[in-house]
């Protein structure tokens, strides 16, 4: 069962999304809030796997809330999927940078929303690498990699660039003449060395530091 917390300041929208989610046998809405002001407390009380959160809300926006949640709970923080109105949105870019695992348009089809929730719960990204790069091309800045990048081996740097370019583990394995299991191990080590949560943040890191 995928436990979902829904954070949105519009009651009708919040109720409609909750109905869609609760209609599924493998999804359960465990919290509904109109504000992210007490998000860490909500998470501790309801233990969601995924947070569906509006990126723009009064009081505290989804970007700030995501950043605070990751700071408070670290690796124990649930996955965050932000809801936005525009497909190329500076706020969505900043939310991903803050630790969100992707974004979904508010007018997305119910089937896509459900698939996105399931994908994020499973540890996958729901924003294509090209879309993430497009966001940061418009709204991001580039800086040189820090000392953490020096800790990567030559092979890890090659795999980092391939993963950030949108290649799957299978495609990386074929290009690097490795097994998928080995690629998965390399990806895990890269994320750990760079203190990144997932492949979405890996794409962000690679773009922000001019690696792709």
């Amino acid at each position: 069962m995928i436990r979902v917390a829904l954070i949105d300041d519009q009651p009708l929208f919040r109720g409609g999304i909750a109905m869609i989610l609760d209609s599924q046998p493998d999804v359960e809405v465990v919290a509904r809030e109109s504000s992210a002001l007490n998000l860490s407390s909500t998470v501790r009380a309801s233990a969601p796997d995924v947070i569906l959160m509006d990126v723009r809300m009064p009081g505290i926006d989804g970007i700030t809330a995501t950043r605070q949640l990751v700071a408070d709970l670290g690796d124990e923080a649930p996955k965050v999927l932000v809801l936005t109105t525009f497909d190329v949105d500076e706020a969505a870019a900043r939310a991903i940078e803050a630790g969100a695992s992707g974004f979904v348009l508010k007018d997305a089809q119910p089937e896509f929303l459900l698939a996105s929730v399931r994908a994020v719960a499973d540890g996958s990204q729901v924003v294509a690498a090209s879309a993430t790069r497009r966001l940061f091309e418009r709204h991001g800045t580039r800086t040189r990699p820090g000392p953490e990048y020096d800790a990567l081996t030559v092979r890890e740097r090659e795999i980092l660039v391939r993963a950030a370019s949108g290649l799957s583990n299978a495609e990386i394995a074929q290009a690097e003449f490795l097994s998928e299991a080995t690629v998965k191990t390399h990806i895990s080590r890269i994320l750990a060395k760079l203190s990144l949560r997932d492949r979405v943040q890996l794409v962000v890191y690679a773009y922000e530091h001019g690696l792709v």
Side-chain angles (χ1 to χ4, degrees), residues 5-18 31-36 39 51-58 60 81-85 104 106:
L6 182 56
I7 317 294
D8 192 283
D9 63 317
Q10 298 176 359
L12 287 177
F13 181 82
R14 190 169 65 245
I17 295 298
R32 303 189 206 181
E33 301 290 343
S34 60
S35 168
L39 184 57
I51 298 174
L52 264 179
M53 180 159 55
D54 190 3
V55 76
R56 300 178 186 275
M57 292 182 290
I60 180 171
L81 191 57
V82 296
L83 299 162
T84 181
T85 307
V104 176
K106 280 195 165 187

Side-chain angles (χ1 to χ4, degrees), residues 7-193:
I7 317 294
D8 192 283
D9 63 317
Q10 298 176 359
L12 287 177
F13 181 82
R14 190 169 65 245
I17 295 298
M19 287 180 61
I20 293 171
L21 296 172
D22 278 333
S23 71
Q24 303 300 300
D26 61 332
V27 181
E28 177 187 9
V29 176
V30 295
R32 303 189 206 181
E33 301 290 343
S34 60
S35 168
L37 285 171
N38 299 307
L39 184 57
S40 292
S41 297
T42 298
V43 167
R44 290 189 177 96
S46 58
D49 302 302
V50 177
I51 298 174
L52 264 179
M53 180 159 55
D54 190 3
V55 76
R56 300 178 186 275
M57 292 182 290
I60 180 171
D61 59 71
I63 306 163
T64 303
T66 298
R67 185 176 293 111
Q68 289 181 353
L69 184 68
V70 172
D72 288 347
L73 302 181
D75 292 339
E76 300 300 317
K79 300 292 186 180
V80 176
L81 191 57
V82 296
L83 299 162
T84 181
T85 307
F86 306 104
D87 61 350
V88 179
D89 185 349
E90 180 180 2
R94 299 279 77 81
I96 292 171
E97 188 177 38
S101 294
F103 68 88
V104 176
L105 295 181
K106 280 195 165 187
D107 61 356
Q109 293 296 316
E111 293 79 9
F112 181 81
L113 173 65
L114 291 168
S116 298
V117 168
R118 292 184 177 109
V120 166
D122 192 44
S124 300
Q125 65 190 54
V126 298
V127 182
S130 59
T132 307
R133 287 201 305 275
R134 191 170 76 249
L135 282 171
F136 281 86
E137 283 170 0
R138 295 196 182 191
H139 306 296
T141 57
R142 294 189 176 220
T143 59
R144 291 181 178 275
E148 74 285 346
Y149 181 73
D150 295 333
L152 299 181
T153 66
V154 173
R155 175 57 63 85
E156 286 170 346
R157 294 179 189 184
E158 292 172 351
I159 291 176
L160 164 64
V161 171
R162 292 190 187 278
S165 298
L167 271 64
S168 66
N169 285 354
E171 291 169 331
I172 295 172
Q174 183 176 16
E176 295 285 335
F177 302 102
L178 300 170
S179 69
E180 287 189 51
T182 299
V183 171
K184 186 175 181 181
T185 298
H186 279 303
I187 293 291
S188 296
R189 288 175 179 169
I190 292 166
L191 294 177
K193 288 181 179 181

